Amino acid sequence: MTQRIVVINPNSNQTVTGTIDRACDRLRLAGGPDIECVTLPEGPRGIETQEHVESVVLPLQRTIRARDNDADAFVIACFSDPGIHLARETTRKPVFGIAESAYLTALTRGERFGVISILATSIPRHLRQIRQLGLLDRFAGDRAIGLGVGEELRGHAQNVDQASFRSEEHTSELQSLAYLVCRLLLEK
């Protein structure tokens, strides 16, 4: 029996879901789990505010309940990890948030980590989550690139470069994993 990972884009933007799905292609291995990317139709066009985050919590829970019998794991594909605690209470299956996963993965690469945010208004949400995870002492900083959800990254390499951690207080080990991901996306 093939295992299935359900990746949930909690916004209603099909273009974003398509981008997530294409990014998952390199993870689709022979004999590996099926990876199914779905859109939350009740979600806002993009999740850019705390109100957006809160508005998708119960629809996410309903989606996880509906898919619990045919999924082996869930991924909440939004960097605010909306509804992650309720999702984990809803199922016994593993639930991964991409922010939490990115922070913890980055810490396997260095002593500290940084974040590249889409908008400056995202930074307080990230700081709350980082504090709740007990990672504040290992947090180097958060910089915004000034692009909303779904805006095309191509042609905006300077935004990512300007947001990177280049000051004297940040050594190369503090380079954000998110920065590397953004640069890879720009090269596609």
Side-chain angles (χ1 to χ4, degrees):
M1 183 168 122
T2 302
Q3 293 185 314
R4 173 174 285 131
I5 299 170
V6 176
V7 178
I8 306 168
N9 171 18
N11 72 49
S12 61
N13 190 328
Q14 291 281 3
T15 302
V16 171
T17 304
T19 301
I20 294 166
D21 190 54
R22 285 188 300 281
C24 288
D25 281 345
R26 68 186 79 177
L27 304 173
R28 292 181 171 109
L29 307 173
D34 288 339
I35 301 172
E36 180 185 355
C37 297
V38 300
T39 303
L40 192 69
E42 303 95 330
R45 182 107 176 110
I47 297 182
E48 298 177 344
T49 67
Q50 190 63 42
E51 181 179 359
H52 293 153
V53 170
E54 302 299 338
S55 74
V56 301
V57 173
L58 293 177
L60 267 168
Q61 181 191 39
R62 286 191 293 273
T63 299
I64 289 170
R65 274 192 182 139
R67 298 301 306 271
D68 203 35
N69 289 332
D70 70 335
D72 296 285
F74 296 93
V75 175
I76 299 173
C78 171
F79 206 72
S80 293
D81 291 347
I84 193 162
H85 302 297
L86 183 58
R88 288 174 174 162
E89 288 181 5
T90 301
T91 182
R92 290 186 170 168
K93 313 281 176 57
V95 178
F96 299 91
I98 63 172
E100 181 181 64
S101 296
Y103 303 150
L104 297 175
T105 300
L107 288 172
T108 69
R109 309 283 299 229
E111 286 296 311
R112 299 179 59 156
F113 70 98
V115 175
I116 304 269
S117 298
I118 59 168
L119 299 169
T121 55
S122 303
I123 295 172
R125 277 194 315 281
H126 299 161
L127 289 174
R128 278 192 299 274
Q129 183 181 33
I130 290 164
R131 189 172 41 253
Q132 289 170 350
L133 291 169
L135 300 175
L136 204 51
D137 289 345
R138 298 184 71 188
F139 177 58
D142 195 333
R143 306 286 189 271
I145 60 174
L147 298 173
V149 171
E151 287 189 59
E152 182 60 55
L153 281 176
R154 283 179 195 41
H156 293 283
Q158 73 281 359
N159 296 52
V160 175
D161 287 337
Q162 289 168 2
S164 68
F165 302 89
R166 297 195 187 278
S167 67
E168 290 178 14
E169 73 228 44
H170 297 104
T171 63
S172 63
E173 75 173 292
L174 303 182
Q175 290 293 322
S176 169
L177 183 60
Y179 171 76
L180 297 175
V181 170
C182 286
R183 293 300 301 173
L184 288 171
L185 289 171
L186 290 168
E187 293 170 9
K188 287 193 170 279

